Amino acid sequence: MADIRNPVPLATYRLQFRREFGFDDAAALAPYLARLGVSHLYASPYLQARPGSTHGYDIVDHHRLNPELGDVAAFERMVAALRANGLNQILDFVPNHMGVGGSDNPWWLDVLEWGPDSPFAGWFDIDWDPDKRYLQGKLLLPFLGDQYGAVLAAGDIELRFEAEEGRFSVWAYGTHRLPICACDYAAVLGNRHPGLERIGDAFANLSAHHPHEVRRARELQAELAALVASDTEAAQTVADAVAEFTGLTGDLESWMGLDGLIQRQYWRLAHFRVAADDINYRRFFNINELAGLRIELPELFDHAHGLVFRLLREGVVEGLRIDHIDGLSDPGLYCRWLREKAPMPFYLVLEKILARHESLRADWPVEGTTGYEFTNLILGLLVDGGGELALTGTYHSFTGQTQPFPAIVREAKLRIMENELAGELNVLARDAARLARQNPRTTDFTRNILQRGLKEIIAAFPVYRTYVDGGEATAEDRRDIDWAVAHARRHAPELDSSVFDFLHRLLTSDLVARPGSGYSRSQAVRLAMRFQQVSGPVMAKGLEDTAFYRFNRLIALNEVGGHPDHMGVPLPAFHKANAERAKYWPHTMLGTSTHDTKRGEDVRARLALLAEVPDEWGRQVETWSRILRARRGDLHGSAPPDRNDEYFFYQLLLGVWPAELTGIGIPEADALTSLRERLEGALVKSLREAKRHTSWVAPDPVYEEAMLSFARDALDPTRPAFLEAFLPFQARIAEAGVVNSLTQTLVKLTAPGVPDLYQGADLWDLTLVDPDNRRPVDYKTRAGLLDDIEQGLQADPAGLMCRLLADWQDGAVKLAVTRQALHLRRRLPDLFRDGGYEGMQADGVAANHLVAFARERDRQTVITAATRLPLALAANGGWRDTSLPLPPGRWRCTLTGRQMPGGPVRAADLFSVLPVALLVRGEGGEWN
């Protein structure tokens, strides 16, 4: 657990910086955030990223701020504005990878120019000795949209002379700069000009200056730049020389001169699909433009964290969120280095996805995670597990999909290893075979056999990764490796058992635990640690980015860190999870929406309700399908889109339907334009991620258009039959969804942990998968609503809340609940930071519909009470005799201002204004 001296935020507000929303925009927002009640701006990465970056995770320079967000003066204005409003910052930091390609990353460009001899070559996770002989000593660059020869013949690869720097580079598509090694400049400069011939000869003999070739090359480049700037004849000679490397469009033979020059370089341009088989640098998942860093190298660690540590030292930043911690070779070591090398204590959370049986490592010196486990915990509370059987039946009967979710996941992971990440699996198998040949007992294990065994183990892995580091494997790691190997044996009985014995001992490091093993210890440990860096991406791409788009029983559960095959969290389990968090990770972050969530928090809150009305949902879906398919002449329901994608669409439409269009009848066509465009973007992404009928690598425009035209038919107000059938059910779900959303909001803001508000989620968050969830936010409207709320709270809190709930469509009721809860956190910081947690039990026939808990510290007590499963509650006659026993004293609801005595309070009275309550006990005539 973390040192208690580390600063702990009261609440954070996540902002996504981009070219359209920079430092000055954040500065202008500071007064609103302070009035709302958060303590910290939680910033997306704002170090220099590739131009046009929409997210900031493609950093190209760790020592500079992103100039697209504003200059240093703008950054300082933001810092000053935050401080003036009592706010600080949490910064999202990316240690795992950098943005490459383009022309902006100086480290990467240096590696391209000098290959393994570059001082930065070791900082990237590059394999300079791959099995593919054509890549020996070269770096594969899979940035082309077509085969290399086709792109070359089309003239999209060209040689340029950059006169100001005196350097030659090949440019692909005018975007990707690929430096020519200075040793090859003579081949371009030739002997037509005496000055150029002399400089070219000096370039050709750079080895004479070893080990200072780079320094000498820079001197010669400066000399070349000066010569062409002062000598027009030299400049024309260089231009003519470059032109000789330019061929005729469509005539590949005429480009052979340039091809010959390219073949001598330390890089090899290729079609992007080549990466699947031959990639020889570690990537972030399968994204070729994000290259992995070896942050475990002390010199790289110190360099990459220089600016961030300065911001910590100056008090500009008080905490870090570490992106993709599981991508690192040794996450535990990295966290320890952060604590040891940081100039002062700071708040530290990790982006880490935990399996249902998995806990964050207790010996990591961090406050916790970014909160995916809470996202799914609170969602589970809102889902009626009793509806699982009927909902499953509806899904099976409508779609015909009966494959169990674990089988879908396994199938998806195998597909990923056979396609997008085949290269990573190939490297693991190659290194395992090399290791096996070191000992006579295993020398007959071929690469093919070991690759099959590794593939089955990864497919069966129950967690993203283990954390073997060369020491004794922990009990948690052994548990997960044992599980995976046991399942792999069952799935591949044709493989000799000794193969899995070898791999099991390798992955636990037992293979080299004792002296005289016959294997290289360093190679075995390195391979075990590299395996861990592969199992995570396979899980992410197979589970999150494939299986979650194939298994559509209830897509609210298909969330990052979620478990779609487990429906509902009973009250005792919910309280147990909160109590454990209060004990072991009291300062972990609590999230309900992020830039990575598949759907916004209020979309999930709506869709959770379907488990309460599974039979009615089934009837509605059948009705909608008949209407739309009949309109398309598809009476048998066999035309595309398939029934699984159709089922997905209905849920998506139900969840994202705008609040302002609810309850107004059939909207005009113009009012539906934005919704249609957003849905189309999300549908195409979802179809391609599912990889059933189309994919990113091989799009099927015919199938995609079938799905999109199906959605357009549904949203066509000139043919209203579908909307007439859909909208009454949608309105009912949306109104009940308000109850779920308010419960979700209040519980997050008062449960143990640090609540985070994602940008825009202070009102209804009805967003879809990115980039939809990164759209601009209307803060002017939010500030105006907050003005009205603050005035109403002073005059008549209960009356205000009644009005806001009645007019729920504008989201102001959520904003008001959020504001009141955050201000209570501000008044009682110690209670919410370190207070205990005690689940409370309601009495009566509807007790299961009331979730309540107390937070206590130093004789101060706050009680949260909220409604769950509202449709089932209404169907069963409401609260009736249900009550919540309050401890002795006088209690006041922070949300409504209503007061009540201790003892049993009727749920109908407790929730007579809002479906949630936040009670504070008064002592000595004062309210804490």
Side-chain angles (χ1 to χ4, degrees), residues 194-207:
L196 295 176
E197 181 182 25
R198 177 185 57 78
I199 294 175
D201 181 67
F203 275 119
N205 289 278
L206 282 172
S207 59

Side-chain angles (χ1 to χ4, degrees), residues 156-183:
D156 290 328
I157 301 173
E158 59 180 338
L159 179 67
R160 295 181 185 176
F161 177 61
E162 292 138 13
E164 291 186 5
E165 292 80 18
R167 67 193 183 196
F168 293 98
S169 298
V170 167
W171 286 76
Y173 302 120
T175 299
H176 299 290
R177 177 176 167 249
L178 313 169
I180 295 296
C181 180
C183 302

Side-chain angles (χ1 to χ4, degrees), residues 29 99 227 384 408 486 539 834 928:
L29 195 57
L227 176 61
D384 186 356
I408 294 175
M539 177 73 92
D834 299 305
N928 291 326

